[in-house]
Amino acid sequence: MPINDTSRLRERAAAILAENDRGHYTVPTRGLYPFQWNWDSCLTALGLSQLDEARGWLEIETLMAHQWPDGMVPHIVFHVNDEGYFPGPHVWRTGRPTPTSGITQPAVAGFAVRRLFERARDRRLADTSARRLLTKIDRWHQWFFNNRDPDGEGLVAILHPWESGRDNSIDWDEAFERVPTDGIDAYVRRDLQHADASHRPTNAQYDRYLWLLQCFRDLDWDNSRLHAASPFRIVDPGFNAILIRSCQDLAWLADRLGEGDIARRNRNLAERALAAFETLWSETHGQYVCRDRVTGSLIDSASCGGIMSVFAAIPRIRATALARRVETLARNSRHVVASHDPADSRFDSHRYWRGPIWLIVNYMIADGLANAGEADTAGRIRRDSLDLIASGGFAEYYDPHSGEPLGGGSFTWTAAMVLEFLRNND
Ligand code: DGY
């Protein structure tokens, strides 16, 4: 039944956050994702804090408590046992006191913490929480540039598609050809017990996800060795834009908290990355695209990763071009922003990151566009996002043509983003 009224949308969003709340962290959704995911949690904290500020801070503090000694913040924290998910801790074998995965995820924490801090009504709590998180996030940012930019190009590489969060994007197809599938342990996928196989990555992709995992595991998860060893090294504009934004936001926060060194370091990292960012611009596509760091070439794939670049302070001329890109996509599908260009023959309106719309992506793109003065396009994205929820409920993702809800249901970060979109309208 369509949910047309704003207060009912808010109520339903709050109910989903409560349903997926495990006390000190939230699960993305029951069944399909039964643990704590890194960027899910940081974006969810925005919604949680609208209902309970302390609970919002706690979400990020729980995640950061599982930071590795080298500074990495893992993409999953396995707080409990749950055989319903693959690959679980016995596959990762990272040796952490509370088991975690061994790869990372988009560094959205710096952005989220600034936003919580700016909005806080409880100033004392905000001060103590932000101070505790500041040093940890700073260490994570340094980890990125030390381990994922060994030649000092200014931008970082992902070594596994799961790190981008856009697991089966068309962006990775070509590079994935290089990833072998021999020697992987026998496994049973669990995601297909919870979601429709036609909405999920293929078995051939899972084999390669597993090969990379085993390759890194064989190197004892020593982050100083993984970049050189991985046949998959991609400089993703979306991933880098999130990191740049987080560096800038952390610098802002560090200034307020009197931590000059942290502020300077993060501002420098962001400036260097922004200077290098222009190398990812594609005139052919009128947007940023990924670079394959193994071959050195730009990847011929126009995904939402390139449009998410606007989340960082890219040049105004580029932000305007990205607003035009969103408008072009809007002519090719009923709803925006498709995770891949519907005009591309590889587009698939149902399959995870190969076409469907994700509310967190919409949120970051709309935020960046609004900051760049592209209020109309930002407003269009916001309206579309709320329309999708009103007609399809709080799904994991949506078909950009039909608006059909896809993947998991009762999805935590979708609910959090609804609260965010509604708040921005107040
Ligand atoms: C999954 O299991 O689908 C996740 O996206 C990996 O993080």
Side-chain angles (χ1 to χ4, degrees):
M1 189 205 303
I3 320 173
N4 291 322
D5 117 17
T6 303
S7 56
R8 283 200 50 218
L9 267 183
R10 269 208 183 87
E11 260 169 43
R12 183 70 196 120
I16 288 171
L17 292 184
E19 184 183 320
N20 292 332
D21 190 347
R22 298 294 174 269
H24 58 305
Y25 69 97
T26 49
V27 297
T29 188
R30 259 182 310 155
L32 187 59
Y33 302 118
F35 314 108
Q36 183 176 27
W37 262 259
N38 184 325
W39 71 325
D40 291 68
S41 261
C42 293
L43 291 166
T44 295
L46 302 175
L48 286 172
S49 72
Q50 288 193 40
L51 309 167
D52 175 348
E53 275 184 30
R55 184 63 190 81
W57 286 112
L58 180 61
E59 185 74 19
I60 305 182
E61 295 208 40
T62 302
L63 173 71
M64 297 307 294
H66 298 277
Q67 181 167 36
W68 283 21
D70 70 356
M72 186 184 81
V73 183
H75 100 295
I76 307 176
V77 183
F78 298 106
H79 292 283
V80 290
N81 280 329
D82 193 316
E83 292 304 319
Y85 179 80
F86 175 85
H90 53 286
V91 181
W92 291 94
R93 287 183 239 146
T94 54
R96 300 289 305 142
T98 298
T100 73
S101 71
I103 56 174
T104 194
Q105 247 184 351
V108 82
F111 156 75
V113 167
R114 171 177 172 174
R115 198 142 272 194
L116 293 193
F117 185 85
E118 278 182 300
R119 289 177 182 173
R121 288 177 303 276
D122 186 339
R123 294 308 320 168
R124 247 179 61 181
L125 175 65
D127 242 64
T128 38
S129 306
R131 220 171 262 289
R132 269 201 301 266
L133 289 167
L134 185 74
T135 333
K136 293 182 173 191
I137 298 173
D138 174 47
R139 284 190 61 228
W140 189 21
H141 291 175
Q142 291 181 66
W143 174 88
F144 268 114
F145 290 96
N146 291 339
N147 292 279
R148 298 309 183 79
D149 182 23
D151 295 331
E153 289 172 21
L155 297 171
V156 302
I158 55 160
L159 306 184
H160 194 298
W162 287 342
E163 292 199 310
S164 70
R166 301 187 295 113
D167 301 7
N168 67 341
S169 168
I170 291 163
D171 291 350
W172 328 133
D173 287 1
E174 233 174 84
F176 240 23
E177 295 293 315
R178 275 197 305 271
V179 178
T181 54
D182 56 309
I184 49 172
D185 303 335
Y187 67 94
V188 179
R189 287 178 65 173
R190 302 286 179 192
D191 55 320
L192 302 182
Q193 295 170 351
H194 309 287
D196 188 320
S198 70
H199 301 180
R200 295 284 303 169
T202 62
N203 289 337
Q205 284 161 338
Y206 257 80
D207 285 351
R208 288 172 171 82
Y209 298 151
L210 262 291
W211 191 92
L212 287 170
L213 187 162
Q214 288 186 202
C215 164
F216 304 152
R217 191 181 67 197
D218 289 347
L219 295 169
D220 296 326
W221 300 109
D222 175 351
N223 275 305
S224 66
R225 295 198 286 164
L226 304 194
H227 186 278
S230 179
F232 182 89
R233 298 199 289 273
I234 305 284
V235 179
D236 167 17
F239 191 90
N240 276 278
I242 290 172
L243 179 57
I244 293 168
R245 172 73 177 267
S246 277
C247 285
Q248 288 168 323
D249 286 349
L250 204 72
W252 178 95
L253 190 65
D255 276 336
R256 289 267 128 22
L257 297 175
E259 296 286 351
D261 286 348
I262 296 183
R264 261 187 307 280
R265 182 161 46 242
N266 279 274
R267 204 162 280 124
N268 288 342
L269 289 172
E271 275 165 20
R272 214 163 50 104
L274 276 171
F277 208 81
E278 273 309 286
T279 61
L280 303 180
W281 182 258
S282 159
E283 276 308 329
T284 317
H285 292 294
Q287 65 164 81
Y288 295 97
V289 295
C290 293
R291 178 184 298 285
D292 186 330
R293 192 173 263 171
V294 174
T295 64
S297 314
L298 290 182
I299 297 175
D300 178 22
S301 175
S303 75
C304 65
I307 301 173
M308 283 159 70
S309 306
V310 78
F311 194 52
I314 53 170
R316 178 60 69 92
I317 182 178
R318 298 301 191 210
T320 304
L322 291 178
R324 301 295 89 79
R325 263 305 276 158
V326 172
E327 283 152 24
T328 306
L329 293 178
R331 285 193 288 277
N332 293 338
S333 64
R334 203 166 111 217
H335 305 277
V336 284
V337 179
S339 50
H340 199 84
D341 188 343
D344 187 327
S345 60
R346 299 167 293 182
F347 166 87
D348 181 336
S349 67
H350 272 59
R351 208 181 272 282
Y352 213 32
W353 287 94
R354 298 177 79 84
I357 293 173
W358 293 72
L359 246 65
I360 45 125
V361 168
N362 277 9
Y363 177 72
M364 288 186 271
I365 294 176
D367 179 273
L369 288 174
N371 288 343
E374 297 291 341
D376 289 351
T377 315
R380 157 86 205 249
I381 295 174
R382 181 190 162 278
R383 280 192 304 281
D384 257 25
S385 302
L386 291 174
D387 284 353
L388 282 169
I389 309 305
S391 59
F394 292 73
E396 188 176 5
Y397 41 94
Y398 300 85
D399 182 317
H401 293 315
S402 65
E404 182 191 345
L406 303 166
S410 295
F411 223 82
T412 301
W413 69 5
T414 305
M417 294 301 98
V418 167
L419 292 177
E420 284 294 289
F421 278 125
L422 292 173
R423 183 185 193 279
N424 291 345
N425 202 34
D426 289 345

